[in-house]
Tab-separated table of all heavy atoms in Angstrom:
chain	number	residue	atom	x	y	z
A	1	TYR	N	54.341	120.575	82.098
A	1	TYR	CA	55.355	120.192	83.083
A	1	TYR	C	56.512	121.168	83.204
A	1	TYR	O	57.428	120.953	83.924
A	1	TYR	CB	55.842	118.819	82.717
A	1	TYR	CG	54.753	117.816	82.740
A	1	TYR	CD1	54.061	117.477	81.600
A	1	TYR	CD2	54.272	117.209	83.977
A	1	TYR	CE1	52.993	116.596	81.641
A	1	TYR	CE2	53.264	116.331	83.958
A	1	TYR	CZ	52.589	116.063	82.791
A	1	TYR	OH	51.523	115.213	82.843
A	2	GLY	N	56.373	122.294	82.559
A	2	GLY	CA	57.442	123.331	82.667
A	2	GLY	C	57.996	123.796	81.405
A	2	GLY	O	58.020	123.112	80.410
A	3	SER	N	58.430	125.043	81.352
A	3	SER	CA	58.985	125.622	80.181
A	3	SER	C	60.179	124.906	79.742
A	3	SER	O	60.572	124.935	78.580
A	3	SER	CB	59.232	127.134	80.378
A	3	SER	OG	60.164	127.290	81.424
A	4	GLN	N	60.960	124.242	80.654
A	4	GLN	CA	62.198	123.485	80.325
A	4	GLN	C	61.775	122.307	79.478
A	4	GLN	O	62.689	121.645	78.957
A	4	GLN	CB	62.947	123.034	81.564
A	4	GLN	CG	63.173	124.156	82.603
A	4	GLN	CD	62.118	124.132	83.689
A	4	GLN	OE1	60.966	124.000	83.511
A	4	GLN	NE2	62.636	124.082	84.932
A	5	ALA	N	60.511	121.917	79.374
A	5	ALA	CA	60.135	120.731	78.681
A	5	ALA	C	59.729	121.035	77.244
A	5	ALA	O	58.929	120.332	76.697
A	5	ALA	CB	58.976	120.005	79.467
A	6	ILE	N	60.278	122.047	76.637
A	6	ILE	CA	59.902	122.471	75.315
A	6	ILE	C	60.187	121.336	74.363
A	6	ILE	O	59.568	121.288	73.263
A	6	ILE	CB	60.655	123.742	74.930
A	6	ILE	CG1	60.018	124.426	73.687
A	6	ILE	CG2	62.164	123.523	74.734
A	6	ILE	CD1	60.609	125.799	73.415
A	7	GLY	N	61.119	120.408	74.631
A	7	GLY	CA	61.457	119.311	73.769
A	7	GLY	C	60.709	118.050	74.150
A	7	GLY	O	60.451	117.201	73.281
A	8	GLY	N	60.324	117.904	75.386
A	8	GLY	CA	59.589	116.710	75.770
A	8	GLY	C	59.821	116.364	77.230
A	8	GLY	O	60.586	117.038	77.979
A	9	VAL	N	59.206	115.274	77.708
A	9	VAL	CA	59.225	114.791	79.098
A	9	VAL	C	59.565	113.348	79.109
A	9	VAL	O	58.973	112.537	78.305
A	9	VAL	CB	57.885	115.131	79.712
A	9	VAL	CG1	57.846	114.387	81.108
A	9	VAL	CG2	57.765	116.637	79.941
A	10	VAL	N	60.352	112.949	80.041
A	10	VAL	CA	60.534	111.520	80.432
A	10	VAL	C	60.121	111.366	81.827
A	10	VAL	O	60.698	112.034	82.777
A	10	VAL	CB	61.988	111.061	80.207
A	10	VAL	CG1	62.187	109.619	80.794
A	10	VAL	CG2	62.378	111.043	78.754
A	11	ASN	N	59.090	110.602	82.159
A	11	ASN	CA	58.620	110.410	83.469
A	11	ASN	C	58.826	109.010	83.915
A	11	ASN	O	58.411	108.025	83.273
A	11	ASN	CB	57.125	110.749	83.538
A	11	ASN	CG	56.628	110.869	85.015
A	11	ASN	OD1	57.291	111.443	85.844
A	11	ASN	ND2	55.527	110.218	85.270
A	12	VAL	N	59.559	108.862	85.028
A	12	VAL	CA	59.846	107.517	85.575
A	12	VAL	C	58.861	107.228	86.736
A	12	VAL	O	58.846	108.032	87.664
A	12	VAL	CB	61.341	107.467	86.101
A	12	VAL	CG1	61.608	106.213	86.716
A	12	VAL	CG2	62.216	107.702	84.838
A	13	ILE	N	58.224	106.128	86.657
A	13	ILE	CA	57.239	105.789	87.719
A	13	ILE	C	57.840	104.719	88.607
A	13	ILE	O	58.269	103.590	88.123
A	13	ILE	CB	55.897	105.261	87.046
A	13	ILE	CG1	55.322	106.214	86.047
A	13	ILE	CG2	54.958	104.878	88.094
A	13	ILE	CD1	54.980	107.525	86.662
A	14	ASP	N	57.907	104.951	89.865
A	14	ASP	CA	58.282	103.918	90.773
A	14	ASP	C	57.173	103.859	91.870
A	14	ASP	O	56.103	104.506	91.719
A	14	ASP	CB	59.661	104.208	91.449
A	14	ASP	CG	59.701	105.544	92.170
A	14	ASP	OD1	58.604	106.054	92.582
A	14	ASP	OD2	60.837	106.107	92.286
A	15	ARG	N	57.341	103.045	92.845
A	15	ARG	CA	56.289	102.858	93.867
A	15	ARG	C	56.714	103.282	95.278
A	15	ARG	O	56.337	102.699	96.274
A	15	ARG	CB	55.783	101.469	93.826
A	15	ARG	CG	55.031	101.078	92.562
A	15	ARG	CD	54.292	99.797	92.661
A	15	ARG	NE	55.357	98.741	92.762
A	15	ARG	CZ	55.008	97.450	93.059
A	15	ARG	NH1	53.729	97.130	93.288
A	15	ARG	NH2	55.900	96.569	93.081
A	16	ARG	N	57.691	104.305	95.326
A	16	ARG	CA	58.202	104.631	96.674
A	16	ARG	C	57.129	105.214	97.551
A	16	ARG	O	57.231	105.156	98.796
A	16	ARG	CB	59.379	105.576	96.500
A	16	ARG	CG	59.178	106.898	95.945
A	16	ARG	CD	60.401	107.741	95.895
A	16	ARG	NE	61.286	107.249	94.843
A	16	ARG	CZ	62.453	107.860	94.577
A	16	ARG	NH1	62.806	108.870	95.238
A	16	ARG	NH2	63.238	107.408	93.599
A	17	ILE	N	56.053	105.798	96.950
A	17	ILE	CA	54.900	106.253	97.731
A	17	ILE	C	53.724	105.292	97.324
A	17	ILE	O	53.115	105.478	96.247
A	17	ILE	CB	54.552	107.692	97.503
A	17	ILE	CG1	55.728	108.576	97.879
A	17	ILE	CG2	53.304	108.100	98.277
A	17	ILE	CD1	55.528	110.022	97.729
A	18	PRO	N	53.399	104.309	98.164
A	18	PRO	CA	52.333	103.359	97.692
A	18	PRO	C	50.959	104.046	97.613
A	18	PRO	O	50.626	104.946	98.376
A	18	PRO	CB	52.380	102.291	98.792
A	18	PRO	CG	53.643	102.485	99.551
A	18	PRO	CD	53.956	103.905	99.376
A	19	THR	N	50.105	103.526	96.663
A	19	THR	CA	48.732	104.062	96.522
A	19	THR	C	47.725	102.946	96.618
A	19	THR	O	46.550	103.230	96.521
A	19	THR	CB	48.606	104.748	95.148
A	19	THR	OG1	48.938	103.883	94.076
A	19	THR	CG2	49.530	105.993	95.089
A	20	VAL	N	48.163	101.697	96.764
A	20	VAL	CA	47.233	100.619	97.041
A	20	VAL	C	47.765	99.709	98.143
A	20	VAL	O	48.964	99.636	98.332
A	20	VAL	CB	47.013	99.793	95.685
A	20	VAL	CG1	46.270	100.605	94.666
A	20	VAL	CG2	48.265	99.240	95.209
A	21	VAL	N	46.900	98.996	98.761
A	21	VAL	CA	47.254	97.981	99.737
A	21	VAL	C	47.557	96.689	99.035
A	21	VAL	O	46.728	96.208	98.261
A	21	VAL	CB	46.161	97.769	100.844
A	21	VAL	CG1	46.525	96.667	101.805
A	21	VAL	CG2	45.834	99.089	101.516
A	22	PRO	N	48.714	96.084	99.275
A	22	PRO	CA	49.005	94.784	98.647
A	22	PRO	C	47.894	93.714	98.931
A	22	PRO	O	47.447	93.632	100.024
A	22	PRO	CB	50.379	94.390	99.245
A	22	PRO	CG	50.973	95.635	99.693
A	22	PRO	CD	49.792	96.460	100.169
A	23	ASP	N	47.675	92.912	97.916
A	23	ASP	CA	46.626	91.883	98.033
A	23	ASP	C	46.992	90.867	99.101
A	23	ASP	O	46.181	90.353	99.837
A	23	ASP	CB	46.433	91.241	96.725
A	23	ASP	CG	45.290	90.215	96.715
A	23	ASP	OD1	44.251	90.510	97.415
A	23	ASP	OD2	45.401	89.187	96.127
A	24	HIS	N	48.319	90.516	99.153
A	24	HIS	CA	48.730	89.427	100.056
A	24	HIS	C	49.615	90.010	101.143
A	24	HIS	O	50.629	89.327	101.619
A	24	HIS	CB	49.487	88.361	99.319
A	24	HIS	CG	48.716	87.707	98.212
A	24	HIS	ND1	47.607	86.877	98.511
A	24	HIS	CD2	48.719	87.721	96.838
A	24	HIS	CE1	46.971	86.460	97.413
A	24	HIS	NE2	47.665	86.932	96.370
A	25	THR	N	49.377	91.198	101.641
A	25	THR	CA	50.071	91.879	102.736
A	25	THR	C	51.452	92.233	102.363
A	25	THR	O	51.928	93.361	102.589
A	25	THR	CB	50.143	90.986	103.964
A	25	THR	OG1	48.865	90.578	104.355
A	25	THR	CG2	50.798	91.731	105.132
A	26	ILE	N	52.255	91.370	101.702
A	26	ILE	CA	53.604	91.636	101.282
A	26	ILE	C	53.720	91.421	99.780
A	26	ILE	O	53.316	90.385	99.276
A	26	ILE	CB	54.611	90.786	102.001
A	26	ILE	CG1	54.576	91.138	103.519
A	26	ILE	CG2	56.056	91.013	101.441
A	26	ILE	CD1	55.515	90.262	104.360
A	27	HIS	N	54.317	92.415	99.114
A	27	HIS	CA	54.555	92.258	97.601
A	27	HIS	C	55.979	92.618	97.367
A	27	HIS	O	56.482	93.624	97.906
A	27	HIS	CB	53.609	93.170	96.820
A	27	HIS	CG	53.833	93.074	95.318
A	27	HIS	ND1	53.240	92.013	94.631
A	27	HIS	CD2	54.518	93.815	94.470
A	27	HIS	CE1	53.622	92.123	93.321
A	27	HIS	NE2	54.339	93.194	93.215
A	28	ILE	N	56.665	91.700	96.600
A	28	ILE	CA	58.125	91.874	96.358
A	28	ILE	C	58.386	91.931	94.835
A	28	ILE	O	57.852	91.105	94.091
A	28	ILE	CB	58.892	90.747	97.033
A	28	ILE	CG1	58.799	90.794	98.493
A	28	ILE	CG2	60.379	90.807	96.609
A	28	ILE	CD1	59.405	89.648	99.230
A	29	ASP	N	59.177	92.854	94.419
A	29	ASP	CA	59.717	92.887	93.068
A	29	ASP	C	61.243	92.893	93.096
A	29	ASP	O	61.846	93.516	94.025
A	29	ASP	CB	59.252	94.144	92.290
A	29	ASP	CG	57.755	94.098	92.035
A	29	ASP	OD1	57.317	93.304	91.188
A	29	ASP	OD2	57.063	94.948	92.564
A	30	ALA	N	61.898	92.238	92.149
A	30	ALA	CA	63.331	92.180	92.157
A	30	ALA	C	63.845	91.972	90.737
A	30	ALA	O	63.171	91.373	89.915
A	30	ALA	CB	63.878	91.002	93.066
A	31	LEU	N	65.033	92.554	90.482
A	31	LEU	CA	65.661	92.401	89.171
A	31	LEU	C	67.168	92.377	89.392
A	31	LEU	O	67.675	93.250	90.089
A	31	LEU	CB	65.295	93.549	88.282
A	31	LEU	CG	65.879	93.704	86.867
A	31	LEU	CD1	65.571	92.427	86.049
A	31	LEU	CD2	65.420	94.897	86.142
A	32	THR	N	67.819	91.364	88.815
A	32	THR	CA	69.288	91.291	88.892
A	32	THR	C	69.832	90.973	87.528
A	32	THR	O	69.180	90.344	86.698
A	32	THR	CB	69.729	90.190	89.892
A	32	THR	OG1	71.140	90.192	89.999
A	32	THR	CG2	69.276	88.823	89.456
A	33	ALA	N	71.026	91.476	87.239
A	33	ALA	CA	71.590	91.294	85.855
A	33	ALA	C	73.101	91.286	85.954
A	33	ALA	O	73.736	91.881	86.843
A	33	ALA	CB	71.140	92.398	84.972
A	34	PHE	N	73.685	90.474	85.059
A	34	PHE	CA	75.154	90.376	84.882
A	34	PHE	C	75.494	90.352	83.365
A	34	PHE	O	74.718	89.850	82.589
A	34	PHE	CB	75.713	89.093	85.554
A	34	PHE	CG	75.270	88.910	87.004
A	34	PHE	CD1	74.048	88.393	87.257
A	34	PHE	CD2	76.111	89.371	87.969
A	34	PHE	CE1	73.673	88.198	88.607
A	34	PHE	CE2	75.754	89.216	89.341
A	34	PHE	CZ	74.535	88.677	89.613
A	35	ASP	N	76.604	91.042	82.996
A	35	ASP	CA	76.962	90.987	81.576
A	35	ASP	C	78.486	90.832	81.317
A	35	ASP	O	79.251	90.783	82.359
A	35	ASP	CB	76.439	92.268	80.941
A	35	ASP	CG	77.222	93.507	81.115
A	35	ASP	OD1	78.323	93.450	81.687
A	35	ASP	OD2	76.742	94.634	80.760
A	36	THR	N	78.841	90.713	80.127
A	36	THR	CA	80.295	90.461	79.772
A	36	THR	C	81.008	91.718	79.320
A	36	THR	O	82.207	91.817	79.570
A	36	THR	CB	80.361	89.424	78.639
A	36	THR	OG1	79.616	89.883	77.528
A	36	THR	CG2	79.763	88.067	79.153
A	37	ALA	N	80.308	92.659	78.647
A	37	ALA	CA	81.029	93.810	78.081
A	37	ALA	C	81.572	94.739	79.123
A	37	ALA	O	82.621	95.347	78.934
A	37	ALA	CB	80.082	94.583	77.186
A	38	SER	N	80.907	94.818	80.338
A	38	SER	CA	81.398	95.712	81.406
A	38	SER	C	81.571	94.969	82.653
A	38	SER	O	81.849	95.614	83.699
A	38	SER	CB	80.345	96.838	81.603
A	38	SER	OG	79.080	96.283	82.059
A	39	ASN	N	81.462	93.688	82.658
A	39	ASN	CA	81.550	92.876	83.888
A	39	ASN	C	80.559	93.386	84.882
A	39	ASN	O	80.829	93.574	86.098
A	39	ASN	CB	82.973	92.856	84.473
A	39	ASN	CG	83.154	91.807	85.546
A	39	ASN	OD1	82.411	90.785	85.602
A	39	ASN	ND2	84.074	92.039	86.485
A	40	LEU	N	79.313	93.577	84.412
A	40	LEU	CA	78.234	94.130	85.285
A	40	LEU	C	77.881	93.230	86.395
A	40	LEU	O	77.703	91.955	86.198
A	40	LEU	CB	76.994	94.363	84.385
A	40	LEU	CG	75.692	94.641	85.102
A	40	LEU	CD1	75.687	96.041	85.735
A	40	LEU	CD2	74.521	94.587	84.144
A	41	ARG	N	77.701	93.754	87.601
A	41	ARG	CA	77.122	93.111	88.699
A	41	ARG	C	76.083	94.014	89.242
A	41	ARG	O	76.385	95.166	89.713
A	41	ARG	CB	78.178	92.828	89.847
A	41	ARG	CG	79.284	91.880	89.444
A	41	ARG	CD	80.436	92.515	88.761
A	41	ARG	NE	81.214	93.382	89.655
A	41	ARG	CZ	82.061	94.262	89.330
A	41	ARG	NH1	82.273	94.506	88.038
A	41	ARG	NH2	82.709	95.027	90.195
A	42	SER	N	74.822	93.586	89.251
A	42	SER	CA	73.767	94.492	89.659
A	42	SER	C	72.592	93.732	90.266
A	42	SER	O	72.341	92.606	89.938
A	42	SER	CB	73.259	95.349	88.479
A	42	SER	OG	72.628	94.505	87.499
A	43	GLY	N	71.802	94.485	91.072
A	43	GLY	CA	70.601	93.909	91.625
A	43	GLY	C	69.760	95.020	92.257
A	43	GLY	O	70.295	95.961	92.801
């Protein structure tokens, strides 16, 4: 993956380019989180 990877590689997989047709026409994934240490609001 390149000479800059002499220590290693971290590869993040997302699905922004689909490679399969969803079984039910529409497929949805979601994740939301809140915390106390940083007053996190995320989704």
Side-chain angles (χ1 to χ4, degrees):
Y1 300 93
S3 59
Q4 312 98 309
I6 196 170
V9 166
V10 172
N11 191 46
V12 175
I13 306 297
D14 58 24
R15 291 190 295 170
R16 65 180 70 180
I17 300 179
T19 58
V20 294
V21 178
D23 183 41
H24 299 295
T25 305
I26 296 177
H27 182 78
I28 296 174
D29 291 292
L31 177 59
T32 184
F34 305 86
D35 76 12
T36 58
S38 64
N39 192 25
L40 169 69
R41 295 88 68 194
S42 67

